[in-house]
Structure formats: structure tokens, C-alpha cells
Amino acid sequence: MPTSSNEPERPRVEPEILPPERNGRNSGWPPYSYTQGNGTHRVFVTRIGPFGFGLAMLVVGLFAAILLLLLIGTVLLWLPFVAAIVIIGAVAGLLRRL
């Protein structure tokens, strides 16, 4: 048990450091790769540049515009139904007073 509540707990076991594979394949580069049953797949991880950021923002803006158009279309589709219900309610209210 730690002596102080502010002190982090020490690891119970030291981590095992495995040496790189020595099977003749160049599996050390890129550093992000994994091996599956049908071979090695590499995943390249890089920083995004200004062009990539602009392209990503363009795609996000396109999705937002499509979502907004779908929302506006849904509202415009239901508007006549809501108007008809309001008009029928007003006419029914007038007929009840007579």
C-alpha cells in the first residue's frame, strides 16, 4: 500500500522488452505495422498538412450542408400537414361555437 495518497502506485511487474524479429523481412519500418495470418500490413501515420486539413474541412462542410438540406427538406415536407391540422382545428373550433 502506498505511503501517501498523492504518490502513484509503482508497477508490480517490469515490462518485457522484446527484441525485433530477425526473419529477414524488414518489419522495423514503418514503426506502425502488424502481422496477420496472410502477411504483414503496414499502417502509415503522418502529420496532416495544410492541404489535407483543408480537404478534411471541405468534406466536413459538405456533410454538414447535406445534413442541413435534409433537415430543411423534412421541415418543408411536413409543413403542409401541420398547416392542414391547424386549419382543421380552427374550423372545428368555429363550428363548436355555433
Side-chain angles (χ1 to χ4, degrees):
M1 183 166 236
T3 58
S4 172
S5 63
N6 293 334
E7 191 174 308
E9 183 179 336
R10 304 274 309 168
R12 293 186 173 94
V13 180
E14 289 291 324
E16 182 180 1
I17 300 174
L18 300 173
E21 294 181 23
R22 304 283 184 207
N23 56 7
R25 292 188 309 194
N26 186 9
S27 63
W29 183 256
Y32 306 107
S33 63
Y34 63 94
T35 303
Q36 239 179 5
N38 57 357
T40 301
H41 298 273
R42 295 182 179 177
V43 180
F44 295 95
V45 179
T46 62
R47 290 186 181 261
I48 188 167
F51 179 72
F53 181 74
L55 194 60
M57 288 298 106
L58 185 66
V59 169
V60 167
L62 181 67
F63 283 141
I66 290 172
L67 184 65
L68 181 66
L69 286 176
L70 285 173
L71 183 67
I72 290 172
T74 304
V75 168
L76 290 177
L77 182 68
W78 282 99
L79 191 61
F81 295 116
V82 172
I85 290 172
V86 168
I87 290 172
I88 290 172
V91 169
L94 288 176
L95 291 177
R96 282 179 74 192
R97 289 186 180 180
L98 293 177

